[in-house]
Amino acid sequence: TMDGVNPFAKRDPPSKTEYYTPISRSGETMTFFRPQKQKAASKPAASSYGTGIGDDCEAVDVTDTVPEAKIGQTKNSHESTRPVEQPRGDISERERALKEREEQLRRREAELGMVEREIKHLKPNWPFEWYAIEYHDIDEEIPSGKKAMMKRLYMNLLMTWGALFINWIAMLGIWFSGDQSGPSYTLWGTMYLIGIPGAWKLWYRPIYFAYRDKTTLRYFCFVISFAFHCFFVVVMALGLPNCAAGGLMTKGEQFAVGKT
């Protein structure tokens, strides 16, 4: 050149933050500087495409050119194919709600059953259809586990009534036989007939209601009343003297009188 500078002479390579391009204009050399951007450590350097710059080229990430909307659509398409799993909390809440619903239905059924029983109680069916004074139905009102026991107690009640009536007939026989104690025996035998409604009210109905309504108080009343009933049955079966009981002792006494 005119200044004595050889443009083809060996010079130091350009730095990483600038480059120069020798251009001859009016016999002078001009140098252009441009700062380079910091390269991300995670991004690999892009290859040069014949620009002549090499490592000084800026790397271009092709993933940055993909629109975010398309990426979201791709993710949604993959997620839609996966089965939806419900969280455990929602399942437990549903189970709890179902249990509460079942309990409500059971309470309503019990209330309806009580209403039906009250309606039926307004229509007595015992002891006879043509002369009904109370409602009595073991098969319908008593639970299945207590039906057998309740039927045995009902048979015990009927046998007690039969025994009281037979005892009254026996006392009449003693009176008609000319025995001096016949009138008093007959009077006491007639009084024993009070045991027919007494057994029904004092010990049979309490145990009936205790099994039906599952109440402890009625069961306690039954235990006390039935204990006195058992004591009375033992006295009548033995036939103690002066008790107007047609038991073993009274029968033996009447047979001895008859022989004499």
Side-chain angles (χ1 to χ4, degrees), residues 71-230:
I71 296 175
Q73 292 177 0
T74 306
K75 292 182 179 179
N76 293 333
S77 63
H78 287 293
E79 292 177 355
S80 62
T81 58
R82 297 178 182 177
V84 179
E85 297 181 357
Q86 296 181 352
R88 297 293 299 176
D90 295 342
I91 296 175
S92 61
E93 289 179 359
R94 290 182 179 179
E95 291 178 353
R96 191 181 304 108
L98 289 174
K99 290 181 179 180
E100 292 178 356
R101 186 69 178 274
E102 290 179 357
E103 292 178 358
Q104 291 178 358
L105 291 175
R106 290 176 183 174
R107 287 195 296 267
R108 289 180 181 178
E109 290 179 356
E111 291 175 358
L112 290 175
M114 293 178 63
V115 171
E116 290 179 357
R117 285 197 297 267
E118 290 177 357
I119 293 173
K120 290 181 178 179
H121 288 167
L122 300 176
K123 299 178 180 179
N125 62 346
W126 186 90
F128 307 105
E129 294 182 358
W130 50 271
Y131 185 73
I133 58 176
E134 286 195 39
Y135 182 81
H136 179 266
D137 193 344
I138 295 175
D139 293 331
E140 184 175 352
E141 290 194 317
I142 304 303
S144 58
K146 303 295 183 180
K147 286 182 180 179
M149 177 62 70
M150 198 69 237
K151 289 181 178 179
R152 285 195 291 268
L153 291 172
Y154 184 66
M155 292 301 298
N156 189 358
L157 177 71
L158 297 179
M159 292 175 65
T160 301
W161 291 350
L164 290 174
F165 182 74
I166 292 172
N167 183 74
W168 181 72
I169 297 297
M171 297 302 103
L172 283 177
I174 293 175
W175 187 12
F176 292 153
S177 66
D179 194 334
Q180 295 180 356
S181 59
S184 62
Y185 281 0
T186 304
L187 179 61
W188 279 103
T190 305
M191 293 177 63
Y192 289 158
L193 294 178
I194 300 175
I196 293 176
W200 173 266
K201 291 291 186 181
L202 293 177
W203 63 266
Y204 181 76
R205 293 300 276 181
I207 190 60
Y208 185 91
F209 293 142
Y211 284 160
R212 188 194 69 182
D213 302 332
K214 297 180 181 180
T215 57
T216 307
L217 181 61
R218 291 182 181 273
Y219 187 81
F220 182 72
C221 295
F222 159 76
V223 171
I224 296 176
S225 300
F226 197 73
F228 283 104
H229 168 74
C230 293

Side-chain angles (χ1 to χ4, degrees), residues 234-255:
V234 171
V235 171
M236 297 296 289
L238 292 176
L240 298 178
N242 300 324
C243 288
L248 295 175
M249 293 183 180
T250 303
K251 183 173 68 174
E253 182 181 353
Q254 292 301 317
F255 274 118

Side-chain angles (χ1 to χ4, degrees), residues 2-24:
M2 296 177 64
D3 296 336
V5 178
N6 187 5
F8 300 100
K10 186 176 179 181
R11 300 180 63 183
D12 295 333
S15 64
K16 296 296 180 178
T17 59
E18 66 181 18
Y19 70 93
Y20 66 92
T21 304
I23 298 175
S24 297

